[in-house]
């Protein structure tokens, strides 16, 4: 971590109350703790941030966030808390609100609230890459697709299949370029990038996570699998 970044970084955790696929997802107990607690704990453990702010429209989320060690200095406006609001405007609003409080940061990290597999070392590694890039790009974690995307198949209504890209139908998988997906955990960026609403993926660099730590939790079945994986990952070797 560079001396420039020390103490001048802001964490923003966007956690609205209206989750639909898993009700109360951000405060539901995951392995015995409110889901949002994992994001807050990783941010605190990293020792990178002068403030860890939760932007929410929900009083219960705000109460739990404060109990876990975050700050909730403002209420997220309703127009930024619906099902269709993108991430970047939400973080922009939070950065501006924090600046109005006198909290000025050169680096801002959006950390999603539903990330029990997040690790503080990843936050540090990504910040180091951001600093090395001069802050012009965002930095976020990605993971490998399990299979080459060039060999993907499409399936018709009668069950028939065919290649998405016939050009690669006979290419050996080991000869194909690896592909990655956004792990959906966090995004580091210079404050001015968020304020300018620069597109993240079009202006991004990445660190690579092991695929087992890039877990989407969007359905009750996802939740059950993630809890089982989380508990298994914490067993001592040999058990």
């Amino acid at each position: 971590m560079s001396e420039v970044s020390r103490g001048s970084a802001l964490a923003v955790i966007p956690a609205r109350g209206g989750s639909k696929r898993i009700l109360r997802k951000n405060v539901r107990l995951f392995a015995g703790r409110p889901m949002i607690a994992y994001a807050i704990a990783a941010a605190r453990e990293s020792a990178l941030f002068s403030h860890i702010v939760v932007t929410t429209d929900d009083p219960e989320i705000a109460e739990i966030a404060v109990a876990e060690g975050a700050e909730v200095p403002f209420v997220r406006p309703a127009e930024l808390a619906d099902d269709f609001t993108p991430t970047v405007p939400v973080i922009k609003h939070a950065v501006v609100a924090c600046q109005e409080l006198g909290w000025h940061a050169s680096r801002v990290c959006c950390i999603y609230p539903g990330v029990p597999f997040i690790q503080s070392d990843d936050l540090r590694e990504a910040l180091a890459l951001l600093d090395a890039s001069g802050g012009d790009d965002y930095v976020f974690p990605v993971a490998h697709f399990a299979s080459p995307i060039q060999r993907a198949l499409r399936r018709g209504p009668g069950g028939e299949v065919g290649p998405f890209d016939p050009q690669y139908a006979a290419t050996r998988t080991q000869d194909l370029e690896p592909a990655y997906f956004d792990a959906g955990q966090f995004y580091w960026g210079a404050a001015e990038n968020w304020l300018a609403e620069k597109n993240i993926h079009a202006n991004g660099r990445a660190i690579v996570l092991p695929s087992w730590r890039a877990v989407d939790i969007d359905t009750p079945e996802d939740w059950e699998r993630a809890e089982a994986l989380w508990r298994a990952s914490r067993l001592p070797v040999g058990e």
Side-chain angles (χ1 to χ4, degrees):
M1 179 177 57
S2 73
E3 291 301 321
V4 171
S5 298
R6 188 183 300 276
S8 62
L10 172 71
V12 179
I13 302 173
R16 68 188 185 91
S19 55
K20 297 294 192 297
R21 289 175 291 186
I22 300 177
L23 295 179
R24 310 302 294 163
K25 173 181 177 179
N26 293 326
V27 293
R28 178 176 170 179
L29 295 184
F30 181 96
R33 298 181 68 186
M35 175 62 89
I36 196 172
Y38 296 93
I40 295 171
R44 295 183 67 189
E45 183 181 326
S46 74
L48 295 172
F49 303 105
S50 54
H51 296 279
I52 301 168
V53 171
V54 172
T55 171
T56 186
D57 60 328
D58 187 281
E60 183 187 11
I61 292 176
E63 181 179 354
I64 290 173
V66 170
E68 293 292 339
E71 299 174 84
V72 188
F74 54 83
V75 176
R76 194 198 303 188
E79 62 269 21
L80 291 176
D82 63 27
D83 293 340
F84 305 102
T85 305
T87 295
V88 174
V90 173
I91 306 306
K92 176 183 178 178
H93 170 267
V95 172
V96 171
C98 287
Q99 289 177 343
E100 291 172 351
L101 293 169
W103 301 353
H104 295 278
S106 61
R107 301 287 191 257
V108 178
C109 187
C110 164
I111 305 175
Y112 284 141
V115 289
F117 294 93
I118 191 172
Q119 294 187 3
S120 57
D121 284 346
D122 298 329
L123 292 169
R124 297 188 192 100
E125 180 184 353
L127 176 58
L129 181 55
L130 179 67
D131 285 346
S133 75
D136 292 335
D137 296 324
Y138 293 96
V139 176
F140 55 94
V142 299
H144 288 275
F145 277 103
S147 299
I149 61 171
Q150 299 91 336
R151 294 287 298 275
L153 301 174
R154 56 165 45 95
R155 183 176 182 273
E160 65 278 8
V161 297
F164 263 92
D165 195 336
Q167 173 185 353
Y168 298 106
T171 305
R172 298 186 311 166
T173 56
Q174 59 265 42
D175 295 331
L176 295 170
E177 179 184 356
Y180 303 85
F181 61 92
D182 185 340
Q185 289 191 354
F186 63 84
Y187 306 99
W188 273 106
E192 56 264 30
N193 290 350
W194 293 108
L195 294 175
E197 298 192 50
K198 289 179 66 174
N199 181 276
I200 294 173
H201 290 157
N203 299 278
R205 299 177 185 232
I207 64 169
V208 181
L209 301 186
S211 295
W212 70 268
R213 285 207 287 112
V215 178
D216 280 333
I217 306 176
D218 294 324
T219 67
E221 293 77 17
D222 291 340
W223 189 286
E224 292 178 9
R225 283 193 295 270
E227 276 194 314
L229 179 58
W230 192 92
R231 291 191 170 100
S233 71
R234 278 145 182 80
L235 287 175
V237 175
E239 292 195 14

